[in-house]
């Protein structure tokens, strides 16, 4: 498993992360198998959020591995906060209480990384700054970042916080390519030329901010997976051909496609199937050629200008 440095920090991690949103539905034995399969395949970065399973995902995770100091040293734990029932909340009080809750559920003294989840338009940056400083000084959070934010939102936050923002979690996959489509279609009047994120890809590369790509197998607004889906015959034909040539599964190729980009994405995969985790991990050993990468991009229905 290749390792990357997360943003401008001293934190190095596996280039593939395991998203733990669905862990709430597993038994202790099932979750233990999932976590250990990930570790055995070089995946040591685990992505959580206070809302996943209403907090239960974090509880199941810690219970499954009988969390202790020795186990904790083998992994990197990230959680997210800010989404509440029907609204978003970046208040100092909520950020700190959310972290306290995650630490309790995860049975650990610290988070390696805390991300602000969906943007809160009512947020006061001074409150976020105060929360980050308190959490850093107490040792409860070592690194900070954001999720689903554009460059303007990040710059506003950076004006107030003292901490480096090392990561931004954004949706990106073969079937969700808005952040690269605009770069192909500069100065054109077609839909793919529309800049919907403020140039977040280029911004992230300029500022050495790691993009964590979530939902690498999804299409649309959580409409389903595109792999082995009859709706996308040309795409699956291209992926399956390259997968056969490389001796890996189509899931590995879908992740390898994300990882091929020089922006050094960290892909977050959410499967709770140990076999799929092992298959996906092999993506780290696959490097697609330019021709293969563009073949898949075109097969997804994209036209190059």
């Amino acid at each position: 498993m290749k390792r990357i440095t997360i943003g401008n920090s001293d934190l190095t991690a596996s280039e593939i992360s395991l998203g733990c949103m669905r862990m709430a539905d597993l038994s202790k034995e099932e979750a233990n198998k999932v976590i250990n399969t990930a570790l055995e395949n070089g995946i040591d970065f685990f992505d959580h959020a206070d809302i996943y399973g209403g907090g239960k995902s974090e509880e199941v995770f810690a219970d499954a591995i009988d969390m202790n100091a020795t186990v904790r040293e083998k992994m990197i734990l990230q959680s997210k906060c800010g989404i509440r029932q029907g609204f978003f909340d970046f208040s100092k009080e909520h950020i700190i209480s959310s972290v306290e809750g995650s630490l309790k559920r995860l049975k650990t003294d610290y988070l390696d990384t805390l991300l602000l989840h969906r943007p809160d338009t009512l947020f006061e940056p001074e409150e976020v700054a105060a929360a980050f400083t308190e959490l850093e000084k107490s040792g409860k959070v070592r690194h900070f970042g954001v999720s689903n934010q554009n460059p303007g939102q990040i710059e506003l936050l950076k004006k107030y916080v003292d901490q480096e923002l090392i990561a931004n979690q954004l949706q990106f996959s073969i079937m969700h390519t808005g952040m690269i489509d605009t770069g192909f279609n500069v100065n054109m009047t077609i839909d793919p030329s529309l800049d919907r994120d403020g140039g977040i890809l280029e911004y992230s590369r300029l500022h050495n901010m790691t993009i964590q790509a979530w939902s690498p197998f999804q299409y649309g607004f959580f409409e389903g997976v595109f792999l082995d889906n009859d709706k996308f015959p040309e795409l699956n034909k291209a992926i399956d051909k390259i997968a056969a040539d490389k001796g890996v599964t189509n899931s590995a190729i879908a992740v390898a496609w994300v990882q091929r980009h020089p922006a050094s994405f960290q892909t977050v995969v959410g499967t709770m199937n140990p076999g799929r985790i092992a298959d996906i991990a092999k993506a780290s050993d696959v490097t697609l050629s330019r021709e293969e990468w563009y073949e898949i991009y075109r097969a997804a229905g994209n036209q190059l200008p």
Side-chain angles (χ1 to χ4, degrees):
M1 173 65 61
K2 295 187 183 74
R3 300 186 67 76
I4 60 173
T5 300
I6 309 298
N8 289 315
S9 76
D10 58 359
L11 184 64
T12 61
S14 55
E15 67 173 352
I16 299 173
S17 164
L18 185 69
C20 299
M21 183 174 69
R22 299 180 179 90
M23 193 161 284
D25 299 326
L26 304 185
S27 67
K28 178 176 180 176
E29 293 73 21
E30 290 169 335
N32 179 276
K33 179 66 174 177
V34 166
I35 297 165
N36 281 301
T37 298
L39 290 170
E40 289 163 6
N41 284 275
I43 299 172
D44 64 355
F45 194 105
F46 298 90
D47 175 66
H48 294 272
D50 58 354
I51 64 163
Y52 290 168
K56 187 178 178 182
S57 289
E58 291 177 328
E59 292 179 349
V60 170
F61 182 93
D63 289 342
I65 53 175
D66 297 319
M67 182 68 82
N68 58 63
T70 301
V71 172
R72 180 67 179 89
E73 291 176 359
K74 298 177 181 178
M75 56 183 58
I76 298 166
L77 297 182
Q78 172 173 282
S79 196
K80 301 183 291 293
C81 70
I83 299 179
R84 302 187 69 175
Q85 193 68 35
F87 65 104
F88 303 133
D89 188 351
F90 284 179
S91 66
K92 177 184 176 182
E93 180 183 19
H94 179 67
I95 292 171
I96 291 175
S97 65
S98 174
V99 169
E100 296 282 4
S102 289
L103 294 178
K104 182 178 180 180
R105 291 188 293 270
L106 288 167
K107 298 181 181 178
T108 183
D109 296 327
Y110 69 95
L111 294 175
D112 291 284
T113 313
L114 173 70
L115 304 186
L116 299 178
H117 218 154
R118 290 279 178 181
D120 172 20
T121 195
L122 300 181
F123 92 110
E124 300 286 352
E126 297 91 344
E127 283 199 47
V128 176
F132 280 11
T133 295
E134 184 173 323
L135 291 168
E136 182 182 47
K137 286 184 176 180
S138 66
K140 293 176 180 178
V141 178
R142 296 186 174 180
H143 302 282
F144 299 85
V146 297
S147 181
N148 306 297
Q149 294 202 15
N150 64 35
Q153 293 168 324
I154 295 168
E155 284 297 310
L156 176 59
L157 189 57
K158 286 169 67 174
K159 179 180 178 181
Y160 293 87
V161 301
D162 294 327
Q163 296 76 17
E164 188 82 28
L165 300 178
I166 66 173
N168 188 6
Q169 199 168 103
L170 298 158
Q171 186 175 4
F172 183 68
S173 73
I174 294 168
M175 289 298 296
H176 192 96
T177 54
M179 70 174 70
I180 60 174
D181 295 340
T182 55
F184 286 127
N185 297 281
V186 173
N187 198 37
M188 299 183 72
T189 58
I190 57 177
D191 187 72
S193 72
L194 296 177
D195 182 356
R196 293 178 168 87
D197 54 33
I200 192 62
L201 176 62
E202 292 76 18
Y203 174 90
S204 301
R205 297 183 73 180
L206 284 168
H207 293 272
N208 196 27
M209 194 172 184
T210 296
I211 295 177
Q212 298 177 341
W214 57 268
S215 286
F217 309 115
Q218 291 278 332
Y219 71 94
F221 192 65
F222 303 109
E223 293 179 46
V225 297
F226 55 82
L227 294 175
D228 298 320
N229 189 328
D230 292 340
K231 289 183 178 180
F232 311 105
E234 294 303 317
L235 175 59
N236 279 283
K237 180 180 177 181
I239 291 174
D240 291 347
K241 175 175 71 69
I242 295 171
D245 291 343
K246 305 288 186 184
V248 296
T249 64
N250 57 358
S251 296
I253 294 300
V255 171
W257 186 88
V258 175
Q259 298 299 146
R260 174 63 177 83
H261 199 282
S264 297
F265 286 86
Q266 184 184 42
T267 305
V268 183
V269 300
T271 181
M272 294 290 103
N273 183 312
R276 282 202 72 206
I277 292 171
D279 288 339
I280 290 168
K282 295 175 183 175
S284 192
D285 299 323
V286 174
T287 301
L288 299 180
S289 67
R290 267 186 167 80
E291 291 82 359
E292 290 167 335
W293 190 93
Y294 278 101
E295 178 184 355
I296 291 172
Y297 180 75
R298 296 194 314 273
N302 300 298
Q303 291 186 338
L304 295 176

